[in-house]
Structure formats: C-alpha cells, structure tokens
Amino acid sequence: MQTYIFDKTNDTDIAFYQIRERLITLLRSRFTTYGYKQIQTPTFEPYDLYTTVNGTIKLDEMIKVIDNSGKVLVMRPDVTIPITQQIASKYKHLSKEIRYFYVTDVFRQTPDESNNKERTQAGIEYFGNNSPEADAEVLSLAVHLLKDLHLTNFTLEIGHAGFTKELISELALSDQDLKQFKQLIQAKNTNGIKLFLADLSIDPKLRYAIENIPLLYGEADDVIKRAKEIAYNDSMVNKLQNLEEVCTVIQAYGCKQHIVIDLGLINHMDYYSDIIFQGFTENVGKPILMGGRYDKLATQFNASIPAIGFACDIEALLDSTKNHTKSYQPPIDVDIYYETDEQEYGLTIANELREQNYRVLTFPIPEANKHESAQCTLYLTRNNSTLYQQNKSWSFTDIEKLNQILQEVKERI
Amino acid sequence: MECITLALAKGRTAKGAIAILKRAGFHFADFHEKSRKLVFYDTKKQIKLIFVKAVDVPTYVDKGAADIGIAGKDNIMEAQVDLYELLDLKLGKCKFAVAGLPDQKIDHTTVLTVASKYPNVAEHYFEQKGITVDTIKLNGSVELAPLIGMADVIVDIVETGNTINENGLTIIEDMEPISTRLIVNKASFATKTKEIQQIIKKLESVLE
C-alpha cells in the first residue's frame, strides 16, 4: 500500500491539538475584550482581486483552482485584502469604527523548505481611526496577547514604512536596484549599503541619512531623537512626530519595556503606509506576529478608509509556547462497565453524567479490558454498583448518591 | 548576562575568526586546530561556540539554533535567508565569478547551461541580467563541467584563478566580492539586544 506524506499542519496528535485549540480560545477571548468581533472571509476568491492590487502577494505563491465555468480562483492567500475590499465596496468613507478579528487558514506555496501550504492566522483589522491612540491600542493588544501566552522574553519592533520608504525614494532607484537595496536595509548590512551608495552621486546629507538607517534601532526616545537629526524634509519630521505620539500612548499602557524602534524595518507587503511592527520571542527564529497601518490600501478599491491590523501565525506561537505549556488537564472522565441486565441503568447514568460535562465511555462487562483506564470507573452488576478511583471504592445506590461521591472525588483530583 | 550561541564555519576561516574573537576579548582556551570537539565556551562564558559545516551556518542562525554566525558571503547568499548581516570580518577574501571556455559568450540568444555549487546565486545573477539559464547543482570539481560539455559556464568562488586557468577556462565575468561576515538572527537581536550589540561593538573595535 502506498503511504502518503501529509502537510505538517494535519496533525492527529490529540495533545497537540488540545493545546492548539486552547491557544486559539485564548486569542479569541483577548480580541473580544478589546471590542473586536469575529468574521470569516471566503476560502475561494477571484484571482483577479490579487492581480489588480499592487505590491502584495506574489502571484506564484497563490494556490489556484479553476471552477466549472473556467474562472480562475485562488484559495484565501491573505485576509486583510478581502476584508478591506468588502468594506471599501460598502463605504466610500467610514463615519464609524469597525473592529474585526479572524482565526482562519491561509494558503500559500512558499519556496522555503517546510513546504507548508496551509497556515492558521489569527488577527485583527481596525478600520476608521488613524489616531496615535488607535495605533497604540493595537500595539498594546499585541503585547497583551503575548503576555497571555506567558512568554517571558518578547519584543515588539516598531518601524515606520512611510519614513523609510520616503528616505529610500530620494535615491530614485530602478525597480531592480530598489529590490536589492531593500535587502541590504533589511539585513542591516552597513558595509553593503556604503558600497552600494558609493557609486551614486547624491547629496552628502542624504548619503549620511541613509547610511544611518540600520543604526536607528533601540529605545524610542533615543532613536527618534537621532532620526530627527537625519530627517530630510518636513513630511519625514511629521512621520517621526506621529511615531513619537504613538510611543507616548504606549507608555501610558505600560508596555514600554516590550517595545523597540527599528526604522530599518521593511515589510514585504507593500501596502503598509505608516507604522509597521513585528513581534519576536526567544528561541523562535521567525516573527510570531506582524502588522501595521495600511491607510492607502482602500484607495486601490476607490475608497478612503484608514486601517491598522496585525496577524499572528498560530504555528509560530505554538513553537514559542512549546516549552512552557503544561500538559493538558482534561475534565474528569468516567468509564462505565455494566452487566447485560444493567444496560439501561448504565446508559441512563452515562447520559446524566454527560449532561454535567463529564466525559463518559460505556462498555458491556466482557469488553472490560479493551480500554485504557479512565480516572473513575463504575462497575454496575445486578447486586452492586461501585465507583473506583485509584485504590479507593465507593458503593452507591442511586444517581444522586453517585453525584455526591463524584463531587468529592473531583475536589481531590 | 545571557550566553550567546555563535555558529562558526569549520575550515579555512575558523582559525582567523577565533583570532579576531580573541583580540576582542573572547578567549577560547581549549580550542586548538586538531580538536574534534564541536562545542566550546569562552573563559568568561559569554559565548557558546559551535562548529558546523560552512554551508549550514546560515541555517543554524535562521532557525534560531544559533543567535549569531560567522560564515562566508557565498554561503549566506546561497542560503537565501532573512538575517541581519552586521559585520564584514574581511577574512577569506575572494569573489564570485562566471567562468567558461575562452570562446564562450554570454548573451540572450541561447539558453545557457550553468553548473555551480551555488545554483541559487547563479540563477539570481542571470535572472537580473535577463538571461534564461538551466542550472546544474554540483558539489565539487565544477571546472570539469564545461570541459566535458555538461555546461556552458560555471559560477564559482575564485581566489587566485589558478584552478580555473589550469583547467583551460577563463573568467568571463566577475560577479561579487566575498568575505567572511557576521550574521545575526532577527529574533535573537530583538530579545538579546544588549548582549549581541556588546559582542559586535567589541569585534568592530578590533576590526578597524
């Protein structure tokens, strides 16, 4: 028989799945406490939606399918774009705030070796407010989430897509050079940047500013102060001002110790227009959370709606919590073994206990040895009804008495 | 202070890198060239040094198994990973080059077959030039490929050019200078900033 290799996300390990579900529940309830409501986007979306939006997902990375009319569809490669498109189609301008969250699978075929085509993302999108307070609230929600996971050492790096883009655009590079140059910035490769700029005849002030981008990393006050010294024009100063305001509110949230500024941060998603951020924790090489403000995305759908959002990668979060998640404690469970004559009695008890959220399995007595033992075992014979738990046993006469005993047992476990 | 894990490429640049680390104040007392040990601590226990195969250094750092790494630019480029590249240690200087038989031309008219130990680097280079190529991954004796007609050209690292010349090939194009670099995992940089910046500062001061 042929053996099949599955994507790693198809994990049938029960303990792992329980941990994963608990993590998702945790995220869901945290999103809710910040006023977000859950939504879902379609699994199949028109391919055209993604070909018309600039600078987002690589077309090669999307998984395409063809429906019976010959139309090309893609399997949800992103969540932000369809939500923005939907909101933009309903409102040209938004007069109220909208807060959505989602927990959903996204499908992409990336060239990395893991070859995982399906990943679960949990994230939020916050439309209709572009104040520094909104930015800071979203960032503090991100910090709050990571605290919920009991991560001890984590950092949120905040950059400003607008600031960095504007500085680089002063160089007026060709698309190909720009791609290469962005890579140098992302790698904080100061030598490479110097070499790259050496061939260009540019204003020495600009050269100095750009060579300094990789060094703009660290505590907010210090970095913003240094960035202001190299700011090239008023618009860049304004952007730093905005960043400063956001940082002030973050401080009021009490999240300052988890925040660093990294003005060399570049997100491959081109739609980010202002602050961008990513979260890192020890021992996971990749960002566990990514997001930013994308005020310009709606303009691609002929609307003007400010928005900010982020998403966590559930698999990466699971990696990060792997070491400190305690093994899952299931609710107390009960096995009921009954003699054939006591079947009705046994099944009635089973239903009664299930109503009270006990986990119950039932077996006729000859089957007794097939199951690994539960926390509590009931033996129902014609003369006797007994509950066993570890080395102790209790006889009982009716369901009410049984309930009492189980309550006591529960308190001891 | 937390201990930082450093992945160091085994082989020709290891000795030089250890010497630079020593000058920067990180002394690995029990290291000597013939040792078969793979893990070393410096005397102040600030750095845990692990010896890995040169091509694997970027992988260790990318996965976060090592916080920082010291490896050749050739291997970093080939690995195509998203890392910080913070220092040039200026060891093991050489270059990437395209080589082939003396009459070999590189143009848009035909599909070029390229043999290389670095297929990603080769593909990326020719893609930027807008030339379609077929790449063949080889693990050694790359110079042989054009001689026996398996490939039109090779992409390889060249130090003196002797191996190329002795096999009757010439360098057609220089691609990119190579030397040993210090790379850093982005998550480690974010969560162990102080420790890593301190190491970099010390290294920087002895490199100038």
Side-chain angles (χ1 to χ4, degrees), chain B residues 128-148:
Chain B
Q128 275 195 326
K129 294 176 74 99
I131 296 173
T132 316
V133 291
D134 250 347
T135 44
I136 299 172
K137 156 94 179 170
L138 291 178
N139 292 300
S141 307
V142 186
E143 296 78 13
L144 203 55
L147 297 178
I148 59 168

Side-chain angles (χ1 to χ4, degrees), chain A residues 39-89:
Chain A
I39 49 127
Q40 173 80 321
T41 66
T43 308
F44 296 102
E45 299 173 294
Y47 178 65
D48 291 347
L49 173 62
Y50 291 92
T51 53
T52 48
V53 177
N54 296 325
T56 53
I57 292 138
K58 289 191 189 121
L59 299 182
D60 291 351
E61 289 185 4
M62 296 194 285
I63 298 182
K64 296 115 195 152
V65 286
I66 298 171
D67 73 3
N68 58 9
S69 69
K71 211 160 42 188
V72 180
L73 305 172
V74 290
M75 293 179 72
R76 185 192 308 112
D78 185 66
V79 186
T80 304
I81 294 171
I83 294 181
T84 307
Q85 192 255 337
Q86 274 179 35
I87 290 190
S89 66

Side-chain angles (χ1 to χ4, degrees), chain A residues 2 38 44 46 56 80 132 158 165 211 220 237 244 302 380 383:
Chain A
Q2 165 132 29
Q38 188 163 14
F44 296 102
T56 53
T80 304
I158 307 180
K165 261 187 217 166
E211 283 178 0
V237 174
E244 209 167 13
N302 304 318
L380 309 177
N383 311 320

Side-chain angles (χ1 to χ4, degrees), chain A residues 105-121:
Chain A
D105 291 340
V106 294
F107 304 89
R108 282 183 219 170
Q109 38 195 4
T110 46
D112 70 359
E113 77 277 23
S114 72
N115 197 24
N116 247 355
K117 294 182 193 68
E118 181 183 352
R119 300 191 80 88
T120 310
Q121 278 191 357

Side-chain angles (χ1 to χ4, degrees), chain A residues 60-309:
Chain A
D60 291 351
E61 289 185 4
M62 296 194 285
I63 298 182
K64 296 115 195 152
V65 286
I66 298 171
D67 73 3
N68 58 9
S69 69
K71 211 160 42 188
V72 180
L73 305 172
V74 290
M75 293 179 72
R76 185 192 308 112
D78 185 66
V79 186
T80 304
I81 294 171
I83 294 181
T84 307
Q85 192 255 337
Q86 274 179 35
I87 290 190
S89 66
K90 274 189 224 157
Y91 313 94
K92 290 297 143 200
H93 295 278
L94 207 56
S95 52
K96 53 174 185 179
E97 290 182 358
I98 297 179
R99 294 165 193 250
Y100 286 151
F101 83 86
Y102 55 84
V103 179
T104 192
D105 291 340
V106 294
F107 304 89
R108 282 183 219 170
Q109 38 195 4
T110 46
D112 70 359
E113 77 277 23
S114 72
N115 197 24
N116 247 355
K117 294 182 193 68
E118 181 183 352
R119 300 191 80 88
T120 310
Q121 278 191 357
I124 57 123
E125 313 289 350
Y126 178 7
F127 296 93
N129 187 340
N130 61 358
S131 68
E133 286 78 12
D135 289 359
E137 188 196 284
V138 168
L139 285 160
S140 84
L141 166 55
V143 170
H144 209 152
L145 275 182
L146 299 180
K147 277 188 184 160
D148 285 345
L149 300 175
H150 302 293
L151 299 179
T152 44
N153 191 357
F154 67 87
T155 303
L156 227 51
E157 288 182 349
I158 307 180
H160 197 294
F163 178 86
T164 316
K165 261 187 217 166
E166 197 159 325
L167 198 50
I168 296 174
S169 72
E170 294 280 336
L171 291 173
L173 297 172
S174 70
D175 281 357
Q176 203 177 77
D177 287 348
L178 185 66
K179 206 172 132 196
Q180 197 194 338
F181 190 65
K182 274 185 179 170
Q183 269 171 10
L184 292 172
I185 298 272
Q186 276 174 310
K188 296 199 189 303
N189 186 343
T190 20
N191 280 312
I193 293 169
K194 274 187 190 138
L195 282 174
F196 186 97
L197 295 179
D199 300 340
L200 304 172
S201 57
I202 48 168
D203 182 354
K205 218 177 126 198
L206 178 63
R207 185 187 303 273
Y208 178 76
I210 292 182
E211 283 178 0
N212 265 286
I213 294 178
L215 305 177
L216 296 173
Y217 185 102
E219 216 189 304
D221 306 340
D222 173 48
V223 174
I224 294 174
K225 201 178 116 219
R226 283 190 284 138
K228 276 184 176 163
E229 283 161 18
I230 62 160
Y232 209 65
N233 54 35
D234 286 350
S235 139
M236 284 169 65
V237 174
N238 286 340
K239 289 182 167 114
L240 292 171
Q241 198 75 43
N242 171 257
L243 196 57
E244 209 167 13
E245 283 162 18
V246 174
C247 289
T248 312
V249 190
I250 289 172
Q251 190 163 10
Y253 272 106
C255 299
K256 203 180 169 219
Q257 73 273 27
H258 294 293
I259 300 283
V260 295
I261 301 289
D262 177 11
L263 287 172
L265 190 62
I266 294 178
N267 194 304
H268 64 278
M269 289 291 199
D270 219 23
Y271 53 62
Y272 290 114
S273 55
D274 296 83
I275 69 158
I276 47 174
F277 52 94
Q278 43 185 258
F280 287 106
T281 182
E282 277 180 312
N283 306 325
V284 181
K286 301 268 165 294
I288 49 176
L289 176 157
M290 274 174 134
R293 175 163 287 288
Y294 52 97
D295 288 352
K296 300 278 150 47
L297 181 59
T299 56
Q300 302 211 27
F301 306 111
N302 304 318
S304 159
I305 298 167
I308 181 168

